[in-house]
Amino acid sequence: MSLDIFLDDQELISRIQKLKKERNAVILAHSYERPEIQDIADYVGDSLELSRLAAKTDADVIVFCSVHFMAETAKILSPQKTVLLPAAEAGCPLADMITPTQLAIKKAEHPNAAVVAYVNCSAEIKAMADVCCTSANAVQVVDAMPQDEILFVPDQHLGRWVQTQTDKKIILWAGCCPTHQRMKVKDILDLKQQYPDAEVIVHPESNKDICDLANAILSTSQMLRYCQASESKTFVICTEMGMLHRLRTAMPDKTFLQPSKGLICPNMKMTQLEDVYESLKELQHPIEIPEPIRIKALQALNGMLAAVPLK
Ligand code: SF4
């Protein structure tokens, strides 16, 4: 660890900005990142939004402040660019709940099913899928598949929610996001009692009993647009707490509440200003994907974009 890591935040931010110019880099941050990371980012968004932005920019270096599978997705779409994950150990427990061997066994059990992979999975799993989806377009992607049976991986809650919206038979994988599992019905009901006019906005990675309380079930990018368009002034936001910073920054005149204390994804909070600085200074930690896997994973991502073009 270098000594200049003990710089104060202002000095770190100014060095980050200087290095960013020198490297022709762009900084992307997921909506669940720490507030100070969101504030220094060029763009804040959800994983696919950011990966597509990364593919479009003229930057040579993409500093992707998030978790491993998201930086990987950017690399799949932009192989010629240097994609850096500032906190090398930032993974995703949901993405780790499926391995290529496990998926191969399940695919053999359901030879007629199309594999639809939520983007929250590794490049290897994407490469084995027929198509990818996000939480924003999962229903449309599933409906666009010619098969009647869908093996939906790895998030069981998103898959269960998709099942309520489609006639296709969804075969669920037993994965889940540990952060979204922590929400409690009682905490939401307590807030609703205190703020009866508040709308309850729920991410589809949440349990069914939480989804049952929702005014709207939305991805993080949809949440932003929904709250901007809504006439409501108060919202109970049922997802990782970083999203509140994004919503409050975009809509300072509205009130955003979180139902359960400590709804934090520890992996999303690993990236600190020091990591971004070191990442730009030393070009660490670059994402590498074997080309045969990248090409197949790209086909699954492109299949999604062909089925449901992103706006
Ligand atoms: Fe993974 Fe859940 Fe964290 Fe997202 S919030 S990175 S799905 S563990």
Side-chain angles (χ1 to χ4, degrees), residues 30 32 66-67 69-70 91-95 118 120 155 176-180 203 205 239-240 264-268:
H30 190 270
Y32 296 164
S66 64
V67 295
F69 80 81
M70 294 189 189
C92 168
L94 169 59
Y118 183 31
N120 295 32
D155 186 61
C176 63
C177 163
T179 301
H180 285 87
H203 192 280
E205 284 174 22
T239 192
E240 210 274 350
I264 291 172
C265 170
N267 288 280
M268 284 287 187

Side-chain angles (χ1 to χ4, degrees), residues 163-178:
Q163 183 66 89
T164 67
Q165 312 288 311
T166 181
D167 293 332
K168 306 230 172 195
K169 182 183 173 205
I170 308 286
I171 301 153
L172 297 175
W173 190 269
C176 63
C177 163

Side-chain angles (χ1 to χ4, degrees), residues 285-299:
H285 307 271
I287 301 289
E288 302 294 347
I289 305 170
E291 192 58 5
I293 291 176
R294 190 193 70 79
I295 301 252
K296 283 193 187 156
L298 181 63
Q299 284 166 358

Side-chain angles (χ1 to χ4, degrees), residues 201-256:
I201 312 295
V202 176
H203 192 280
E205 284 174 22
S206 309
N207 286 334
K208 181 177 182 308
D209 55 0
I210 303 292
C211 291
D212 287 346
L213 300 174
N215 291 92
I217 298 175
L218 302 169
S219 69
T220 52
S221 51
Q222 289 170 331
M223 282 182 190
L224 185 79
R225 291 193 288 271
Y226 181 93
C227 295
Q228 279 169 328
S230 170
E231 288 185 359
S232 300
K233 292 282 176 221
T234 308
F235 301 86
V236 178
I237 300 297
C238 301
T239 192
E240 210 274 350
M241 67 178 297
M243 190 63 199
L244 274 80
H245 179 73
R246 190 174 176 203
L247 292 167
R248 286 171 182 154
T249 304
M251 288 161 272
D253 55 323
K254 297 194 175 185
T255 303
F256 299 97

Side-chain angles (χ1 to χ4, degrees), residues 11 40 57 90 139 154 169-170 185 193 215 276 292 304 311:
E11 182 58 24
I40 53 142
T57 72
V139 176
K169 182 183 173 205
I170 308 286
V185 166
Q193 207 166 13
N215 291 92
V276 179
M304 169 182 73
K311 292 180 189 117

